[in-house]
């Protein structure tokens, strides 16, 4: 049996505790060996205040998972690759698109794996949806990604800062699914972004995309949804409507249920990371982040009421 | 002697009249054979109101130069490639980054040339600057790109609309030079964009970039410059300061003048277009546009006084 990959988590926040730690514990071939976090630690796991201290102490770590905010991730990824570590990036993989190609080149040079993860692509219904759509004529696509920011991002100031992406933080999950399941590349044609007057990032976005066949794709992202939450993609095809809902865990064809399975997306991520390392390859798809950058560049800004967290 | 490429210009605005038409007239191997423009025409040249009408009438055109605003360019490029024409794109090559890969794929499929031009790269001092910097250690880079929008873009409403890029319309010229002359890729780390309260695009931008060696790169773009205009790039190196000025036509090493030559950038563009077509290849570098998209995504917005054109 091969020795397990010894992994360090950098940034012990909500996503690391809720998702990464249980997924690592449940995945063969990888184990949590260290934490770098200024404020938090876990009993029995080697702890360092910063990634630099961790790399300097070098406790036999093979790989790092960066769960820090995107604004600081590039420097950490570059340092870890330079120190010969494999690197897993939470989504989004960076605060800019341009910072990624140098990391891809560094991974190639050092022979290490760089994995830019898109967790929603590991939801159970995504690959079946892709297969279904590959052989259909697609007529239109409608995305509704509406959630309550107060529930999902309590007190997370960085998401409202430049680089934090605002409502595109969840919206990029929808885009990561869409870029996976649609058979052709698509591009933004129009966008309206709603910015609370007191914030530097949008709270809602209304997006129109198309592709070279003229396919109409509409996406609505909104962080002001109270009550039931909506993470749905509806695709009208020549053989009926395909509905991917609950963030990608349910799939219906017209009224027939095909899949309804709350899957541990992060187990899929760590299985894939182990596999990428074993095969000596990287996996970096920038297309969801490019769509978001395009939306900021092409989007018309609308001022909306201030967002005040209690 | 090979037959000259029969070219149509689409969009007979200021840039087409000032630059494209004289450059085409002065370039061997290519000739102006048609115009598609809703409002303007040239005596003695076949005229069509739209590109679609031109393509339908098919007057033996081999190639099109798209001088229309970026917001409409994708559909025109796709139609022209589909009709088997070579395509030259004015800068910026599109209103989004994502719309370009499908065009690159279409050019490959049809065996036609797609040329995303960056005219400033054809200024006389750019290649010498690149050669100079290839063998120097670079300490810092400072870009100042400051001009009077009233002089250079009188009445051009589209540059203030989403997709028109505002001050990045000239600023992307600096970025097209920088991405050519610096030996390593760089990426944005911080940005402040100044938006006139009555406009949807920035009038000024203050940008900080870096690369994986930590090189400090600062760029200031400003459209409010009256009096002398500034299009300068200063690079501090281990063997003194290299100054690229006048938009890339002057080069100085410390106080020594190396080049001072007002060059016809667009002749370089058309020479290269003829060459690309002869070799059956495309040339599409998206990095300047990616930097601009990054700046809109990462940039902090500042409201400034309204811009009112007399």
């Amino acid at each position: 049996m091969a020795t397990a990959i010894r992994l360090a988590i950098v940034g012990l926040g909500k996503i690391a505790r809720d998702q990464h730690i249980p997924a690592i514990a449940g995945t063969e071939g990888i184990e949590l060996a260290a934490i770098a976090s200024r404020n938090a630690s876990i009993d029995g796991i080697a702890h360092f205040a910063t990634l630099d201290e961790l790399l300097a102490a070098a406790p036999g770590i093979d790989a790092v998972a960066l769960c820090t905010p995107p604004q600081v991730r590039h420097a950490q990824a570059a340092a870890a690759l330079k120190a010969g570590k494999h690197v897993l990036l939470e989504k989004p993989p960076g605060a800019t698109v341009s910072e990624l190609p140098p990391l891809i080149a560094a991974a190639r040079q050092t022979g290490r794996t760089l994995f830019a993860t898109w967790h929603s692509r590991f939801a159970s219904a995504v690959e079946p949806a892709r297969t279904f759509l590959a052989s259909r004529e697609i007529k239109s696509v409608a995305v509704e990604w509406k959630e309550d920011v107060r529930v999902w991002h309590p007190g997370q100031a960085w998401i409202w800062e430049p680089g934090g992406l605002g409502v595109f933080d969840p919206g990029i999950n929808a885009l990561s699914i869409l870029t996976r399941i649609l058979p052709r590349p698509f591009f933004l044609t129009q966008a309206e972004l709603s910015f609370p007057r007191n914030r530097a990032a949008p709270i809602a976005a209304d997006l129109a995309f198309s592709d070279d066949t003229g396919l109409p794709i509409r996406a609505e992202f909104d962080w002001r949804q109270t009550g039931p939450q909506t993470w749905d993609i509806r695709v009208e095809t020549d053989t009926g409507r395909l509905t991917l809902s609950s963030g990608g865990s349910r799939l219906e064809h017209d009224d027939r249920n095909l899949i309804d399975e709350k899957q541990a997306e992060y187990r899929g991520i760590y299985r894939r990371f182990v596999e990428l390392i074993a095969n000596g390859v990287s996996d970096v798809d920038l297309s969801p982040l490019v769509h978001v950058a395009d939306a900021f560049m092409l989007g018309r800004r609308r001022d909306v009421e201030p967002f005040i967290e209690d």
Side-chain angles (χ1 to χ4, degrees), chain A residues 76 129 229 261:
Chain A
Q76 294 176 336
Q229 308 282 286
E261 191 187 325

Side-chain angles (χ1 to χ4, degrees), chain A residues 50-99:
Chain A
T50 66
L51 173 64
D52 285 345
E53 287 175 30
L54 182 148
L55 293 175
I61 295 299
D62 305 306
V64 301
L66 301 183
C67 303
T68 40
Q71 294 96 325
V72 300
R73 224 174 271 154
H74 175 84
Q76 294 176 336
L81 286 169
K82 202 173 170 187
K85 312 304 178 194
H86 306 288
V87 174
L88 181 153
L89 299 168
E90 245 301 344
K91 51 110 313 207
T96 62
V97 176
S98 309
E99 71 193 62

Side-chain angles (χ1 to χ4, degrees), chain A residues 139-159:
Chain A
K139 310 276 194 188
S140 69
V141 180
V143 178
E144 264 189 285
W145 221 256
K146 298 180 176 175
E147 59 175 50
D148 187 344
V149 63
R150 289 183 169 83
V151 171
W152 300 100
H153 295 280
Q156 287 180 21
W158 64 266
I159 53 169

Side-chain angles (χ1 to χ4, degrees), chain A residues 81 101-114 282:
Chain A
L81 286 169
L103 293 181
I104 295 168
R108 198 179 300 122
Q109 270 169 19
T110 57
R112 291 301 178 278
T113 291
L114 177 66
S282 287

